[in-house]
Amino acid sequence: MIDIQTEMQAAIDAAKAAGEALSGRGDAFTGIAVEEGRDIKLKADKAAEAIIIEKLNALAPRPVLSEETGWTAQEEDRVWVVDPLDGSANYNKTIPLCCVSIALVQSGEPILGVIYDFNHDDLYTGAEGLGAFLNGEPISVSKTPQTTSAILMTGLAINRDFSPEALARSAADFARWKKVRMIGSAATSISYVAAGKADCYYEENIMFWDVAAGVAITRAAGGRATLSDGPLDAPKVVRVDNGLLD
């Protein structure tokens, strides 16, 4: 049986290998593969995914659910969930807010997470019983007690409700917070919550692979996370925070 330390190292090795390749922006990582409406898929997404799956299969083989390919094998109780490039639109425009995100999920719950912000060489890691770290140094969520003094990280997922009524509800919620930030990468946003740089992340109709690693890291950093029910490959409503916010 593979232990959690081995699985953590496998995820770190896979994330770093993909991140280094993404930073290099070679021929296989350049250009748009598909662009439909608000969605964009880059050649880099698929190329990074191939690196990650190969590494995980070699070091800690389990079924993988990845944004580009879906399931690589029949779902089991313990699986890898991968977003090879979270923030593709940012990457395409050379906005340095994107990352590699890898989670280990057991019975539908993220138990281990690795997020590699390759633009800044920042590696966020966390797992049950291991704690949470940024570049090997312990991290913890903030102590901000109220929304009126807190920073909310959020986004507008491509498949969310964009009706005037839904946007009005979001605007009313934004008014409760001291500051609201949208940076175009859910995984990066949640890593900021885990490290105490922000206080809460909330988004509707976001995909599980965008948030799974961040959920595991934030919980390991002393925070909390709630996710709506349903299959792992279905959109979720997700809130991740420091556990203190009203």
Side-chain angles (χ1 to χ4, degrees):
M1 182 176 179
I2 305 172
D3 62 55
I4 194 75
Q5 292 278 10
T6 300
E7 289 169 318
M8 174 63 80
Q9 192 59 54
I12 289 172
D13 290 350
K16 283 200 163 185
E20 289 166 6
L22 287 160
S23 295
R25 291 180 177 264
D27 290 345
F29 292 79
T30 303
I32 297 172
V34 179
E35 189 168 13
E36 296 178 352
R38 294 186 177 91
D39 199 15
I40 184 171
K41 298 294 183 186
L42 307 179
K43 293 179 180 178
D45 290 280
K46 198 70 176 177
E49 180 188 71
I51 292 171
I52 293 168
I53 291 175
E54 181 179 10
K55 281 280 188 183
L56 293 178
N57 284 341
L59 299 171
R62 295 190 183 281
V64 178
L65 172 61
S66 183
E67 179 175 8
E68 309 310 313
T69 297
W71 288 104
T72 63
Q74 184 175 350
E75 183 177 355
E76 297 177 1
D77 182 59
R78 205 163 186 173
V79 300
W80 293 109
V81 175
V82 172
D83 189 344
L85 176 56
D86 187 55
S88 298
N90 287 349
Y91 181 86
N92 186 49
K93 293 292 187 178
T94 66
I95 298 171
L97 291 168
C98 46
C99 64
V100 178
S101 178
I102 301 174
L104 184 65
V105 175
Q106 182 169 322
S107 303
E109 289 293 333
I111 61 169
L112 178 155
V114 171
I115 293 174
Y116 185 39
D117 174 358
F118 52 86
N119 289 293
H120 303 100
D121 196 25
D122 281 340
L123 181 71
Y124 298 83
T125 63
E128 289 183 357
L130 298 182
F133 302 87
L134 169 55
N135 297 330
E137 296 296 324
I139 56 174
S140 61
V141 294
S142 73
K143 300 297 184 183
T144 308
Q146 296 176 328
T147 56
T148 52
S149 54
I151 294 176
L152 171 69
M153 308 294 297
T154 189
L156 298 173
I158 59 172
N159 55 350
R160 67 154 287 161
D161 184 356
F162 282 90
S163 68
E165 294 78 14
L167 294 176
R169 287 193 298 271
S170 294
D173 180 65
F174 293 166
R176 299 169 55 233
W177 301 84
K178 187 175 183 67
K179 297 290 182 181
V180 178
R181 296 289 180 259
M182 297 187 190
I183 63 173
S185 169
T188 303
S189 297
I190 301 176
S191 72
Y192 291 172
V193 176
K197 301 175 184 179
D199 307 295
C200 180
Y201 163 85
Y202 176 83
E203 192 158 352
E204 299 175 3
N205 290 323
I206 191 72
M207 298 306 295
F208 189 56
W209 46 70
D210 293 315
V211 302
V215 164
I217 297 169
T218 303
R219 286 174 173 168
R224 66 183 175 186
T226 57
L227 300 90
S228 57
D229 295 331
L232 297 188
D233 54 359
K236 306 287 183 185
V237 177
V238 178
R239 177 175 169 132
V240 181
D241 62 41
N242 66 2
L244 297 173
L245 296 174
D246 57 6

